[in-house]
Amino acid sequence: MALLVAVVVIGTVPATVAAQSNAEVGGTVVVEEGETADDLQAVGGTIVVRGTVTGDISAAGGDIRIEDTGQVDGDLEGGAGSVTIAGTVDGDIEVGAGSVTVAENGTVNGTFTAGAGTVVIDGTLEDDAEIGADTIRLGETATIAGDLRYDGDLEGNTDAVAGDIEEDPSLGVDVAPTVQPFASWLFAAYTFAVNLLLGAILLALFPRFSDRVADRVATGPIRTGLIGLGVFVGVPILLIALAITVVGIPLSLIGILVFALLLWIGAVYGLFAVAAWILSLVGLGNRWLALIVGLLIGAGLTLVPIVGDILNLFVLLLGLGAIARALYGRRRADTGPAEPTAD
């Protein structure tokens, strides 16, 4: 558990970016004032620009902040929880976010395209703007040099728009095609790296137990999958029943966290066990190779719509069932005759 907590903490430590192209998954990417970076790409993290980015910024899943000292020479595109522009972006902006803000000192020299819950413009847009949002607010210091096409509730200083203002109910801001290919592959790489770390911890600390997990999948996959289904469905029911008792609410909350960790471990063990069985068919019995091959299979499945999700769910059930059977077999070994190794 200490190692797992360390992994989470490491993922939140800010990283300073040198003058290189940078791709990050998780954590915080910071371009400090006075520093220069090339293209920046991030999934699941936060990008903070206080210095200069000479290329483009692409991000998905976190927050993007261009501070008042920040300068982006290229384009900014992505999907994020929030986007704040307090510095200068010379290229185009194309973002989808919960909230988008162009602060009073913020300047966008290219076209501005945004889809969000709330868009606030207090700074300067030197070109056209297309905004689809529940609420669009133009501040007293806002300036839009081009035309404004919008869909949503437009509030505030409409005199800030030098060009035409056009309400377009059909306006759709679709940034997904530009972000999704990058995001899906980088997210798959992130998932692989984190799962590899967890798998390595499990294999290093519990080698014999890991072998028993793989053996349970190889010798009885149907039985193991059914047991995993029972765990997958039964544990949440027990937690709900515990929460209904009111006094059991704290225990149920702890149980939810433990069950979430169990699901993660079950998914990793399931992939490991399936790969170990496949490799055994060709005479390879290396558990570390099985871990890598299994996680590669899992990463590939995440990129396959629907079918990949179904297969990953089946692998998860195998992992949960194998863990339950291995634990039960260990208990029987401690108290009596060992569990048979074959169904």
Side-chain angles (χ1 to χ4, degrees):
M1 289 300 296
L3 288 172
L4 292 176
V5 170
V7 172
V8 175
V9 172
I10 290 171
T12 63
V13 174
T16 301
V17 180
Q20 297 290 334
S21 178
N22 189 72
E24 289 286 334
V25 182
T28 300
V29 180
V30 181
V31 180
E32 295 290 358
E33 186 174 356
E35 293 182 341
T36 301
D38 295 336
D39 295 342
L40 292 182
Q41 298 177 338
V43 168
T46 298
I47 289 182
V48 180
V49 177
R50 301 188 182 102
T52 300
V53 177
T54 59
D56 301 329
I57 294 178
S58 298
D63 296 332
I64 304 171
R65 299 199 306 272
I66 312 300
E67 305 284 6
D68 54 1
T69 58
Q71 168 77 35
V72 179
D73 295 339
D75 300 332
L76 168 61
E77 64 175 28
S82 65
V83 176
T84 302
I85 309 298
T88 300
V89 177
D90 284 335
D92 300 333
I93 288 182
E94 186 177 355
V95 292
S99 64
V100 178
T101 301
V102 179
E104 184 173 349
N105 294 328
T107 300
V108 180
N109 291 318
T111 58
F112 180 84
T113 305
T118 302
V119 175
V120 178
I121 307 296
D122 286 318
T124 301
L125 307 182
E126 295 289 359
D127 207 327
D128 297 335
E130 292 187 356
I131 303 173
D134 292 334
T135 302
I136 305 164
R137 186 165 65 252
L138 304 182
E140 292 300 322
T141 58
T143 299
I144 300 179
D147 300 331
L148 171 63
R149 292 179 61 233
Y150 75 95
D151 179 23
D153 295 330
L154 181 62
E155 303 175 352
N157 179 24
T158 56
D159 291 337
V161 183
D164 297 330
I165 299 177
E166 177 187 356
E167 183 176 8
D168 185 356
S170 65
L171 180 64
V173 180
D174 186 5
V175 299
T178 59
V179 178
Q180 186 60 32
F182 154 74
S184 61
W185 281 101
L186 199 53
F187 181 76
Y190 173 57
T191 303
F192 175 83
V194 174
N195 287 343
L196 180 61
L197 180 57
L198 174 62
I201 293 173
L202 294 172
L203 293 187
L205 296 181
F206 314 107
R208 294 182 180 178
F209 181 81
S210 300
D211 289 340
R212 285 199 298 271
V213 167
D215 181 65
R216 296 309 187 268
V217 171
T219 57
I222 296 178
R223 178 185 177 188
T224 300
L226 291 175
I227 293 174
L229 179 62
V231 174
F232 186 75
V233 176
V235 172
I237 294 176
L238 292 176
L239 292 175
I240 293 173
L242 186 62
I244 293 176
T245 64
V246 180
V247 294
I249 290 178
L251 293 177
S252 67
L253 294 176
I254 296 173
I256 290 173
L257 296 177
V258 174
F259 184 59
L261 180 60
L262 177 62
L263 291 177
W264 184 17
I265 294 174
V268 172
Y269 261 148
L271 292 168
F272 160 72
V274 169
W277 172 71
I278 293 174
L279 291 176
S280 69
L281 298 179
V282 295
L284 295 176
N286 188 300
R287 65 168 66 98
W288 295 101
L289 179 60
L291 175 63
I292 294 174
V293 171
L295 294 181
L296 286 174
I297 292 174
L301 290 177
T302 60
L303 302 177
V304 181
I306 302 177
V307 175
D309 294 334
I310 294 174
L311 292 176
N312 268 326
L313 175 60
F314 180 66
V315 170
L316 170 62
L317 297 181
L318 286 176
L320 291 176
I323 291 173
R325 290 187 62 195
L327 289 173
Y328 180 70
R330 175 65 180 271
R331 179 175 177 274
R332 289 191 60 186
D334 291 340
T335 60
E339 180 186 0
T341 58
D343 294 332

